[in-house]
Amino acid sequence: MIPYAYLENSNTGVNIANRSKQVDIYMKNCCVACLSAKKYNDSDTDVALVTNIDPPKEYRDILESHKIKIIHADFDLFNFSGEYTWALAFYKLCALHHVLHEYDYDYYAYLDSDVFIQSSFNNIWTECDAYILLYDINHGLQVKHYQHILSEMRDFMPSLFSNGNLPTHRGGEFFAANRANTLIFIKNCEEIYAEMCQKKFNTTHGDEFIISIVADKLGSLVKNAGAYIYRFWTGSFRLISTCYMYNPVVVLHVPAEKEFGMLAVYDKYIKQGRLPHNINKVYRLLHLTHRSLRTRIAQLVKRFKH
């Protein structure tokens, strides 16, 4: 499922600049994610947009014409204040709770909207017979972002760090598990959320704060999903892998392309009710194979300024 929530005046994160067109941008991303998932998975796998809004007709028509479920779920859990950093990112956990308790599936998965699925989830479901799959974003202690989330975790729950333990920073873009393990996962997430509310504790890391703590507590039940998903940074900060093509992952996560490459895929293909037959066209549109003109210009400007 692809969860998407909209609440007026709520923070969605830092990876989108055009707030005035926020719903359209996210809906187009959701359509790309859902249609690509539908293309590469069999009829036994339901693909769904889970949202607290009524999608505009353009996007609803596209989704329904490809037999993608549209599930309404109120944002009534994991809901911090609208001013909260990454406030809307917590909706993924809320959506998971609703779908888990309202739909009886063998397996559950959620993804961020800025993803392209390029192959089947069958191997993921096999892994889910034994594990909860969450994405280790591979941050070491030299990365300030990791230092910062560890500092927040230590302030919130010092016991996590007993005996020299350092929790792994898990990304919020991917979750997959069987029904029994999803129940365990969401119960633990709800407990952390309740404790945060009780302590009036604020995190600047959104749902990744809760997910990372829960993953640490669940120990060996959690396995790194890095064999199936990779977070490709394609802007001025360029951090990519060739795993989109070699030992290819299932899910291409492209946060910097939310307003660029993902919209290009939507306009060129999804809007026409189709997906490209040649996956290499997707790689180019998502700037996995080359830097975009905008980032090359931005780097030249930066170079001249210095």
Side-chain angles (χ1 to χ4, degrees):
M1 63 179 163
I2 307 296
Y4 171 68
Y6 177 78
L7 294 173
E8 194 170 354
N9 299 321
S10 288
N11 282 326
T12 184
V14 298
N15 294 324
I16 184 168
N18 193 342
R19 298 301 177 95
S20 65
K21 296 183 177 179
Q22 178 180 322
V23 172
D24 283 318
I25 290 169
Y26 272 97
M27 280 290 117
K28 290 176 181 180
N29 277 255
C30 288
C31 286
V32 173
C34 287
L35 265 67
S36 61
K38 191 71 174 179
K39 176 180 179 179
Y40 290 104
N41 285 278
D42 56 40
S43 58
D44 290 338
T45 301
D46 281 345
V47 178
L49 169 69
V50 184
T51 181
N52 70 327
I53 68 168
D54 184 19
K57 185 177 186 302
E58 174 185 343
Y59 313 115
R60 174 179 287 276
D61 287 350
I62 288 172
L63 295 171
E64 289 182 341
S65 68
H66 287 83
K67 299 182 180 179
I68 292 163
K69 290 180 177 292
I70 300 174
I71 298 173
H72 183 88
D74 290 332
F75 197 170
D76 52 3
L77 295 166
F78 301 96
N79 192 342
F80 295 95
S81 68
E83 298 296 319
Y84 207 95
T85 305
W86 295 103
L88 296 179
F90 290 97
Y91 181 71
K92 285 173 279 189
L93 298 175
C94 175
L96 180 64
H97 173 95
H98 279 286
V99 174
L100 174 65
H101 289 89
E102 294 168 19
Y103 293 84
D104 186 15
Y105 290 115
D106 294 329
Y107 305 101
Y108 298 81
Y110 67 69
L111 305 169
D112 272 356
S113 61
D114 46 4
V115 300
F116 189 94
I117 291 86
Q118 65 170 356
S119 58
S120 168
F121 264 53
N122 284 343
N123 290 328
I124 292 171
W125 302 141
T126 299
E127 296 252 24
C128 287
D129 287 333
Y131 302 105
I132 295 170
L133 295 182
L134 292 169
Y135 182 45
D136 176 352
I137 60 175
N138 289 314
H139 280 177
L141 290 171
Q142 76 278 15
V143 179
K144 288 184 178 179
H145 200 62
Y146 184 43
Q147 296 171 16
H148 192 265
I149 195 172
L150 286 179
S151 176
E152 287 190 0
M153 288 180 184
R154 195 185 300 273
D155 290 342
F156 174 69
M157 190 174 287
S159 60
L160 287 172
F161 296 83
S162 60
N163 301 317
N165 180 55
L166 293 173
T168 298
H169 187 174
R170 309 282 177 168
E173 61 261 65
F174 183 95
F175 165 87
N178 63 25
R179 179 171 180 80
N181 285 338
T182 302
L183 285 164
I184 293 170
F185 174 79
I186 203 66
K187 178 177 181 292
N188 277 266
C189 288
E190 289 167 352
E191 289 172 356
I192 298 300
Y193 169 66
E195 188 170 345
M196 290 173 70
C197 293
Q198 180 186 359
K199 294 180 177 178
K200 297 181 179 179
F201 186 90
N202 290 341
T203 176
T204 59
H205 293 274
D207 56 317
E208 293 183 355
F209 180 81
I210 294 178
I211 290 165
S212 298
I213 291 175
V214 169
D216 191 75
K217 291 168 72 70
L218 295 180
S220 61
L221 184 59
V222 174
K223 184 175 180 178
N224 179 20
Y228 303 103
I229 183 171
Y230 186 86
R231 184 188 291 183
F232 299 87
W233 287 109
T234 54
S236 297
F237 176 79
R238 187 168 178 83
L239 179 64
I240 69 166
S241 164
T242 57
C243 64
Y244 60 89
M245 182 177 290
Y246 301 101
N247 289 344
V249 293
V250 175
V251 181
L252 312 174
H253 182 210
V254 285
E257 299 298 328
K258 192 182 275 94
E259 296 179 84
F260 302 102
M262 289 290 285
L263 299 189
V265 174
Y266 179 86
D267 289 335
K268 286 177 72 71
Y269 297 103
I270 304 299
K271 194 174 183 179
Q272 317 304 324
R274 62 192 180 95
L275 282 164
H277 295 298
N278 186 348
I279 193 66
N280 290 304
K281 293 182 178 180
V282 174
Y283 299 157
R284 286 195 60 79
L285 288 172
L286 298 181
H287 301 110
L288 302 180
T289 58
H290 66 290
R291 286 184 181 276
S292 67
L293 180 59
R294 76 178 188 279
T295 57
R296 294 202 298 269
I297 292 173
Q299 288 198 320
L300 283 172
V301 170
K302 185 178 181 181
R303 204 172 296 167
F304 280 123
K305 283 183 177 179
H306 290 285

